[in-house]
Amino acid sequence: MICLDVANGYSETFVNTVRLVREANPNTIIMAGNVVTGEMTEELLLSGADIIKVGIGPGSVCTTRKQTGVGYPQLSAVIECADAAHGLNGHVVSDGGTTCPGDFSKAFGAGADFVMSGGMFAGHTESGGELVTLENGDKVKKFYGMSSATAMNKHAGGVANYRSSEGKTVSVPYRGSVDSTVLDILGGIRSSCTYVGASSIKELSKRTTFIRVSQQLNNVFGTRDEDKQKF
């Protein structure tokens, strides 16, 4: 597999790159992104990509929406891009915005074929980042976005003077082995399937209905802020 990964997939240069890579690798699976609209999903698929990465700004350590004002609600993006991709026998990856196991189910329910997650896997033994013990004895690991100053200093020699960082670096509590987190996610998805009557993940999108919940209803039923989904 070859992954062509840029923060902004809306450029002629990027589309041409996908075409050139496809010509040079006719039998290789190509994943390209990121985009958030059906039109650009179709453009990249017709240019030679097999899998489209969907998401601009939903990640917990991504600050693109704050720095640039550009972004797209992740659930809407997945629904629109998945619909476009599946019409051309392509696939989509929902990239970012998962904060709990239920968000994986929502992504699959929206039509995603794959789900990427960073924050939920950060802080584990198997994840990147140096394990640091604080003065109070707590253990943490650093987690940062690939457009952050930390990442660009590490991989690109620093932030170019004509742009700003679009990611942040945070310290997350050390959570031990990733096994328990993976089991928690898988358990949540299995339960989602039973609730909606799906016999497999692939069936989730055919059994899922999304309902808009207004702020007024949240107030009426007393939904706590920490319970509101950010996906």
Side-chain angles (χ1 to χ4, degrees), residues 53-81:
K53 229 148 59 72
V54 176
I56 293 180
S60 61
V61 289
C62 179
T63 59
T64 295
R65 294 175 182 176
K66 290 183 178 180
Q67 289 295 103
T68 69
V70 176
Y72 206 99
Q74 184 68 355
L75 183 61
S76 297
V78 172
I79 291 173
E80 294 177 23
C81 293

PDB file of all heavy atoms in Angstrom, residues 53-81:
ATOM      1  N   LYS A  53      -8.912   9.266   2.371  1.00  0.00           N
ATOM      2  CA  LYS A  53      -8.856   9.662   3.773  1.00  0.00           C
ATOM      3  C   LYS A  53      -9.712  10.916   3.963  1.00  0.00           C
ATOM      4  O   LYS A  53      -9.519  11.916   3.293  1.00  0.00           O
ATOM      5  CB  LYS A  53      -7.405   9.915   4.187  1.00  0.00           C
ATOM      6  CG  LYS A  53      -7.020   9.220   5.476  1.00  0.00           C
ATOM      7  CD  LYS A  53      -5.569   8.803   5.506  1.00  0.00           C
ATOM      8  CE  LYS A  53      -4.588   9.948   5.355  1.00  0.00           C
ATOM      9  NZ  LYS A  53      -4.563  10.783   6.572  1.00  0.00           N
ATOM     10  N   VAL A  54     -10.659  10.842   4.918  1.00  0.00           N
ATOM     11  CA  VAL A  54     -11.651  11.908   5.106  1.00  0.00           C
ATOM     12  C   VAL A  54     -11.462  12.596   6.459  1.00  0.00           C
ATOM     13  O   VAL A  54     -11.435  11.933   7.505  1.00  0.00           O
ATOM     14  CB  VAL A  54     -13.079  11.327   5.022  1.00  0.00           C
ATOM     15  CG1 VAL A  54     -14.119  12.411   5.303  1.00  0.00           C
ATOM     16  CG2 VAL A  54     -13.319  10.696   3.656  1.00  0.00           C
ATOM     17  N   GLY A  55     -11.344  13.914   6.433  1.00  0.00           N
ATOM     18  CA  GLY A  55     -11.274  14.675   7.679  1.00  0.00           C
ATOM     19  C   GLY A  55     -10.363  15.878   7.579  1.00  0.00           C
ATOM     20  O   GLY A  55      -9.202  15.741   7.193  1.00  0.00           O
ATOM     21  N   ILE A  56     -10.887  17.055   7.916  1.00  0.00           N
ATOM     22  CA  ILE A  56     -10.079  18.259   8.039  1.00  0.00           C
ATOM     23  C   ILE A  56     -10.455  18.931   9.353  1.00  0.00           C
ATOM     24  O   ILE A  56     -11.546  19.486   9.499  1.00  0.00           O
ATOM     25  CB  ILE A  56     -10.290  19.234   6.859  1.00  0.00           C
ATOM     26  CG1 ILE A  56      -9.753  18.624   5.561  1.00  0.00           C
ATOM     27  CG2 ILE A  56      -9.597  20.574   7.133  1.00  0.00           C
ATOM     28  CD1 ILE A  56      -9.915  19.501   4.336  1.00  0.00           C
ATOM     29  N   GLY A  57      -9.588  18.804  10.331  1.00  0.00           N
ATOM     30  CA  GLY A  57      -9.772  19.502  11.598  1.00  0.00           C
ATOM     31  C   GLY A  57     -10.424  18.781  12.750  1.00  0.00           C
ATOM     32  O   GLY A  57     -10.562  19.376  13.816  1.00  0.00           O
ATOM     33  N   PRO A  58     -10.846  17.504  12.644  1.00  0.00           N
ATOM     34  CA  PRO A  58     -11.573  16.911  13.768  1.00  0.00           C
ATOM     35  C   PRO A  58     -10.685  16.361  14.887  1.00  0.00           C
ATOM     36  O   PRO A  58     -11.165  16.096  15.985  1.00  0.00           O
ATOM     37  CB  PRO A  58     -12.356  15.772  13.112  1.00  0.00           C
ATOM     38  CG  PRO A  58     -11.453  15.313  12.016  1.00  0.00           C
ATOM     39  CD  PRO A  58     -10.813  16.576  11.485  1.00  0.00           C
ATOM     40  N   GLY A  59      -9.398  16.164  14.621  1.00  0.00           N
ATOM     41  CA  GLY A  59      -8.515  15.527  15.601  1.00  0.00           C
ATOM     42  C   GLY A  59      -8.340  16.338  16.879  1.00  0.00           C
ATOM     43  O   GLY A  59      -8.382  17.568  16.863  1.00  0.00           O
ATOM     44  N   SER A  60      -8.116  15.652  17.983  1.00  0.00           N
ATOM     45  CA  SER A  60      -8.002  16.318  19.290  1.00  0.00           C
ATOM     46  C   SER A  60      -6.753  17.185  19.403  1.00  0.00           C
ATOM     47  O   SER A  60      -6.724  18.123  20.191  1.00  0.00           O
ATOM     48  CB  SER A  60      -8.004  15.265  20.407  1.00  0.00           C
ATOM     49  OG  SER A  60      -6.900  14.370  20.269  1.00  0.00           O
ATOM     50  N   VAL A  61      -5.711  16.880  18.617  1.00  0.00           N
ATOM     51  CA  VAL A  61      -4.504  17.719  18.655  1.00  0.00           C
ATOM     52  C   VAL A  61      -4.328  18.501  17.357  1.00  0.00           C
ATOM     53  O   VAL A  61      -3.245  18.996  17.056  1.00  0.00           O
ATOM     54  CB  VAL A  61      -3.236  16.880  18.949  1.00  0.00           C
ATOM     55  CG1 VAL A  61      -3.232  16.393  20.382  1.00  0.00           C
ATOM     56  CG2 VAL A  61      -3.112  15.717  17.977  1.00  0.00           C
ATOM     57  N   CYS A  62      -5.411  18.597  16.584  1.00  0.00           N
ATOM     58  CA  CYS A  62      -5.403  19.403  15.359  1.00  0.00           C
ATOM     59  C   CYS A  62      -6.017  20.765  15.659  1.00  0.00           C
ATOM     60  O   CYS A  62      -7.090  20.849  16.256  1.00  0.00           O
ATOM     61  CB  CYS A  62      -6.193  18.703  14.260  1.00  0.00           C
ATOM     62  SG  CYS A  62      -6.275  19.636  12.717  1.00  0.00           S
ATOM     63  N   THR A  63      -5.339  21.844  15.236  1.00  0.00           N
ATOM     64  CA  THR A  63      -5.855  23.197  15.467  1.00  0.00           C
ATOM     65  C   THR A  63      -6.160  23.913  14.155  1.00  0.00           C
ATOM     66  O   THR A  63      -6.233  25.140  14.110  1.00  0.00           O
ATOM     67  CB  THR A  63      -4.842  24.023  16.281  1.00  0.00           C
ATOM     68  OG1 THR A  63      -3.599  24.099  15.562  1.00  0.00           O
ATOM     69  CG2 THR A  63      -4.597  23.402  17.657  1.00  0.00           C
ATOM     70  N   THR A  64      -6.330  23.158  13.078  1.00  0.00           N
ATOM     71  CA  THR A  64      -6.600  23.763  11.766  1.00  0.00           C
ATOM     72  C   THR A  64      -7.834  24.660  11.801  1.00  0.00           C
ATOM     73  O   THR A  64      -7.836  25.759  11.252  1.00  0.00           O
ATOM     74  CB  THR A  64      -6.794  22.664  10.699  1.00  0.00           C
ATOM     75  OG1 THR A  64      -5.568  21.959  10.532  1.00  0.00           O
ATOM     76  CG2 THR A  64      -7.199  23.263   9.358  1.00  0.00           C
ATOM     77  N   ARG A  65      -8.880  24.213  12.446  1.00  0.00           N
ATOM     78  CA  ARG A  65     -10.114  25.002  12.482  1.00  0.00           C
ATOM     79  C   ARG A  65      -9.911  26.320  13.220  1.00  0.00           C
ATOM     80  O   ARG A  65     -10.479  27.349  12.842  1.00  0.00           O
ATOM     81  CB  ARG A  65     -11.236  24.188  13.128  1.00  0.00           C
ATOM     82  CG  ARG A  65     -11.641  22.975  12.295  1.00  0.00           C
ATOM     83  CD  ARG A  65     -12.674  22.108  12.994  1.00  0.00           C
ATOM     84  NE  ARG A  65     -12.992  20.934  12.185  1.00  0.00           N
ATOM     85  CZ  ARG A  65     -13.799  19.953  12.581  1.00  0.00           C
ATOM     86  NH1 ARG A  65     -14.375  20.018  13.763  1.00  0.00           N
ATOM     87  NH2 ARG A  65     -14.037  18.922  11.792  1.00  0.00           N
ATOM     88  N   LYS A  66      -9.109  26.304  14.272  1.00  0.00           N
ATOM     89  CA  LYS A  66      -8.849  27.539  15.015  1.00  0.00           C
ATOM     90  C   LYS A  66      -7.884  28.453  14.279  1.00  0.00           C
ATOM     91  O   LYS A  66      -8.050  29.672  14.267  1.00  0.00           O
ATOM     92  CB  LYS A  66      -8.282  27.199  16.396  1.00  0.00           C
ATOM     93  CG  LYS A  66      -9.290  26.559  17.341  1.00  0.00           C
ATOM     94  CD  LYS A  66      -8.678  26.328  18.709  1.00  0.00           C
ATOM     95  CE  LYS A  66      -9.704  25.739  19.675  1.00  0.00           C
ATOM     96  NZ  LYS A  66      -9.131  25.512  21.028  1.00  0.00           N
ATOM     97  N   GLN A  67      -6.858  27.874  13.669  1.00  0.00           N
ATOM     98  CA  GLN A  67      -5.833  28.684  13.013  1.00  0.00           C
ATOM     99  C   GLN A  67      -6.280  29.234  11.665  1.00  0.00           C
ATOM    100  O   GLN A  67      -5.869  30.321  11.263  1.00  0.00           O
ATOM    101  CB  GLN A  67      -4.560  27.855  12.820  1.00  0.00           C
ATOM    102  CG  GLN A  67      -3.795  27.550  14.092  1.00  0.00           C
ATOM    103  CD  GLN A  67      -3.247  28.800  14.736  1.00  0.00           C
ATOM    104  OE1 GLN A  67      -3.783  29.302  15.726  1.00  0.00           O
ATOM    105  NE2 GLN A  67      -2.173  29.334  14.173  1.00  0.00           N
ATOM    106  N   THR A  68      -7.108  28.480  10.959  1.00  0.00           N
ATOM    107  CA  THR A  68      -7.454  28.862   9.586  1.00  0.00           C
ATOM    108  C   THR A  68      -8.934  29.143   9.366  1.00  0.00           C
ATOM    109  O   THR A  68      -9.306  29.731   8.351  1.00  0.00           O
ATOM    110  CB  THR A  68      -7.030  27.763   8.603  1.00  0.00           C
ATOM    111  OG1 THR A  68      -7.864  26.606   8.790  1.00  0.00           O
ATOM    112  CG2 THR A  68      -5.570  27.364   8.814  1.00  0.00           C
ATOM    113  N   GLY A  69      -9.781  28.690  10.286  1.00  0.00           N
ATOM    114  CA  GLY A  69     -11.213  28.823  10.079  1.00  0.00           C
ATOM    115  C   GLY A  69     -11.770  27.820   9.098  1.00  0.00           C
ATOM    116  O   GLY A  69     -12.940  27.889   8.715  1.00  0.00           O
ATOM    117  N   VAL A  70     -10.956  26.856   8.686  1.00  0.00           N
ATOM    118  CA  VAL A  70     -11.360  25.857   7.693  1.00  0.00           C
ATOM    119  C   VAL A  70     -11.612  24.519   8.386  1.00  0.00           C
ATOM    120  O   VAL A  70     -10.833  24.077   9.226  1.00  0.00           O
ATOM    121  CB  VAL A  70     -10.262  25.679   6.621  1.00  0.00           C
ATOM    122  CG1 VAL A  70     -10.642  24.571   5.646  1.00  0.00           C
ATOM    123  CG2 VAL A  70     -10.033  26.988   5.878  1.00  0.00           C
ATOM    124  N   GLY A  71     -12.701  23.877   8.014  1.00  0.00           N
ATOM    125  CA  GLY A  71     -13.003  22.565   8.569  1.00  0.00           C
ATOM    126  C   GLY A  71     -14.349  22.083   8.081  1.00  0.00           C
ATOM    127  O   GLY A  71     -15.026  22.766   7.306  1.00  0.00           O
ATOM    128  N   TYR A  72     -14.738  20.890   8.529  1.00  0.00           N
ATOM    129  CA  TYR A  72     -16.007  20.301   8.106  1.00  0.00           C
ATOM    130  C   TYR A  72     -16.426  19.310   9.182  1.00  0.00           C
ATOM    131  O   TYR A  72     -15.593  18.526   9.654  1.00  0.00           O
ATOM    132  CB  TYR A  72     -15.813  19.568   6.777  1.00  0.00           C
ATOM    133  CG  TYR A  72     -17.049  19.441   5.921  1.00  0.00           C
ATOM    134  CD1 TYR A  72     -17.274  20.311   4.864  1.00  0.00           C
ATOM    135  CD2 TYR A  72     -17.982  18.433   6.150  1.00  0.00           C
ATOM    136  CE1 TYR A  72     -18.398  20.192   4.052  1.00  0.00           C
ATOM    137  CE2 TYR A  72     -19.108  18.307   5.350  1.00  0.00           C
ATOM    138  CZ  TYR A  72     -19.308  19.193   4.300  1.00  0.00           C
ATOM    139  OH  TYR A  72     -20.426  19.079   3.507  1.00  0.00           O
ATOM    140  N   PRO A  73     -17.687  19.330   9.594  1.00  0.00           N
ATOM    141  CA  PRO A  73     -18.133  18.364  10.610  1.00  0.00           C
ATOM    142  C   PRO A  73     -17.834  16.933  10.152  1.00  0.00           C
ATOM    143  O   PRO A  73     -18.197  16.546   9.043  1.00  0.00           O
ATOM    144  CB  PRO A  73     -19.641  18.630  10.705  1.00  0.00           C
ATOM    145  CG  PRO A  73     -19.802  20.051  10.272  1.00  0.00           C
ATOM    146  CD  PRO A  73     -18.778  20.249   9.196  1.00  0.00           C
ATOM    147  N   GLN A  74     -17.188  16.178  11.004  1.00  0.00           N
ATOM    148  CA  GLN A  74     -16.672  14.884  10.572  1.00  0.00           C
ATOM    149  C   GLN A  74     -17.762  13.898  10.179  1.00  0.00           C
ATOM    150  O   GLN A  74     -17.628  13.169   9.196  1.00  0.00           O
ATOM    151  CB  GLN A  74     -15.791  14.281  11.678  1.00  0.00           C
ATOM    152  CG  GLN A  74     -15.122  12.966  11.316  1.00  0.00           C
ATOM    153  CD  GLN A  74     -14.057  13.113  10.234  1.00  0.00           C
ATOM    154  OE1 GLN A  74     -13.855  14.179   9.668  1.00  0.00           O
ATOM    155  NE2 GLN A  74     -13.364  12.024   9.959  1.00  0.00           N
ATOM    156  N   LEU A  75     -18.843  13.855  10.921  1.00  0.00           N
ATOM    157  CA  LEU A  75     -19.902  12.908  10.587  1.00  0.00           C
ATOM    158  C   LEU A  75     -20.490  13.213   9.219  1.00  0.00           C
ATOM    159  O   LEU A  75     -20.682  12.309   8.392  1.00  0.00           O
ATOM    160  CB  LEU A  75     -21.003  12.945  11.652  1.00  0.00           C
ATOM    161  CG  LEU A  75     -22.141  11.947  11.469  1.00  0.00           C
ATOM    162  CD1 LEU A  75     -21.632  10.512  11.508  1.00  0.00           C
ATOM    163  CD2 LEU A  75     -23.218  12.149  12.521  1.00  0.00           C
ATOM    164  N   SER A  76     -20.757  14.485   8.939  1.00  0.00           N
ATOM    165  CA  SER A  76     -21.294  14.876   7.630  1.00  0.00           C
ATOM    166  C   SER A  76     -20.307  14.556   6.519  1.00  0.00           C
ATOM    167  O   SER A  76     -20.694  14.100   5.438  1.00  0.00           O
ATOM    168  CB  SER A  76     -21.611  16.376   7.623  1.00  0.00           C
ATOM    169  OG  SER A  76     -22.621  16.687   8.563  1.00  0.00           O
ATOM    170  N   ALA A  77     -19.027  14.800   6.780  1.00  0.00           N
ATOM    171  CA  ALA A  77     -17.998  14.525   5.777  1.00  0.00           C
ATOM    172  C   ALA A  77     -17.957  13.044   5.433  1.00  0.00           C
ATOM    173  O   ALA A  77     -17.879  12.668   4.254  1.00  0.00           O
ATOM    174  CB  ALA A  77     -16.636  14.994   6.281  1.00  0.00           C
ATOM    175  N   VAL A  78     -18.011  12.193   6.439  1.00  0.00           N
ATOM    176  CA  VAL A  78     -17.960  10.745   6.196  1.00  0.00           C
ATOM    177  C   VAL A  78     -19.182  10.284   5.403  1.00  0.00           C
ATOM    178  O   VAL A  78     -19.074   9.503   4.456  1.00  0.00           O
ATOM    179  CB  VAL A  78     -17.852   9.970   7.529  1.00  0.00           C
ATOM    180  CG1 VAL A  78     -17.996   8.465   7.290  1.00  0.00           C
ATOM    181  CG2 VAL A  78     -16.525  10.266   8.216  1.00  0.00           C
ATOM    182  N   ILE A  79     -20.357  10.776   5.776  1.00  0.00           N
ATOM    183  CA  ILE A  79     -21.582  10.387   5.070  1.00  0.00           C
ATOM    184  C   ILE A  79     -21.488  10.759   3.596  1.00  0.00           C
ATOM    185  O   ILE A  79     -21.778   9.946   2.701  1.00  0.00           O
ATOM    186  CB  ILE A  79     -22.812  11.054   5.716  1.00  0.00           C
ATOM    187  CG1 ILE A  79     -23.074  10.465   7.103  1.00  0.00           C
ATOM    188  CG2 ILE A  79     -24.049  10.875   4.832  1.00  0.00           C
ATOM    189  CD1 ILE A  79     -24.160  11.186   7.890  1.00  0.00           C
ATOM    190  N   GLU A  80     -21.074  11.995   3.312  1.00  0.00           N
ATOM    191  CA  GLU A  80     -21.030  12.474   1.927  1.00  0.00           C
ATOM    192  C   GLU A  80     -19.929  11.784   1.123  1.00  0.00           C
ATOM    193  O   GLU A  80     -20.148  11.381  -0.031  1.00  0.00           O
ATOM    194  CB  GLU A  80     -20.809  13.990   1.919  1.00  0.00           C
ATOM    195  CG  GLU A  80     -21.982  14.758   2.504  1.00  0.00           C
ATOM    196  CD  GLU A  80     -21.733  16.250   2.558  1.00  0.00           C
ATOM    197  OE1 GLU A  80     -20.885  16.741   1.782  1.00  0.00           O
ATOM    198  OE2 GLU A  80     -22.367  16.930   3.382  1.00  0.00           O
ATOM    199  N   CYS A  81     -18.759  11.641   1.724  1.00  0.00           N
ATOM    200  CA  CYS A  81     -17.638  11.044   0.995  1.00  0.00           C
ATOM    201  C   CYS A  81     -17.838   9.543   0.792  1.00  0.00           C
ATOM    202  O   CYS A  81     -17.472   8.998  -0.260  1.00  0.00           O
ATOM    203  CB  CYS A  81     -16.321  11.304   1.737  1.00  0.00           C
ATOM    204  SG  CYS A  81     -15.847  13.051   1.768  1.00  0.00           S
TER     205      CYS A  81
END
